[in-house]
Amino acid sequence: LSVELLASSASDCTTLSACFVFDKTNVEDIILELNGIWAQYEKMIMCGVQPELLDTVIPQLYDAGLQTVIDEANKQFKAFKGE
């Protein structure tokens, strides 16, 4: 969906942020890589077996482009809000 289409229907939402839909097109390759990294550690972290692995996985995610995805989401949300 386009930002314009979402913005036009925003009045139907209880909160503006609830109507926002992230378009991953510009960062799809990065997201695939991030998902691959997370998949290696997810079960051990989420089950509480090795929560210290967060100290390993978080830097790997940032090295793989997590900040780029965050920046893209922020850019799209600002455009959605009309900033």
Side-chain angles (χ1 to χ4, degrees):
L1 294 172
S2 71
V3 170
E4 294 81 16
L5 177 61
L6 289 172
S8 69
S9 64
S11 61
D12 297 336
C13 296
T14 54
T15 64
L16 184 62
S17 61
C19 296
F20 174 72
V21 176
F22 177 64
D23 178 3
K24 65 181 181 177
T25 304
N26 293 336
V27 290
E28 196 159 11
D29 292 341
I30 297 171
I31 291 172
L32 288 173
E33 187 172 349
L34 295 174
N35 286 341
I37 293 168
W38 179 245
Q40 297 173 26
Y41 301 99
E42 179 181 20
K43 288 181 183 173
M44 292 180 285
I45 292 170
M46 299 303 286
C47 292
V49 177
Q50 291 182 294
E52 67 277 3
L53 285 176
L54 282 173
D55 294 336
T56 301
V57 72
I58 290 173
Q60 287 182 17
L61 293 170
Y62 274 95
D63 288 346
L66 179 58
Q67 188 62 53
T68 302
V69 175
I70 293 169
D71 293 344
E72 179 66 20
N74 285 332
K75 180 180 92 174
Q76 289 181 27
F77 188 64
K78 285 181 179 180
F80 174 73
K81 292 190 319 183
E83 291 182 9

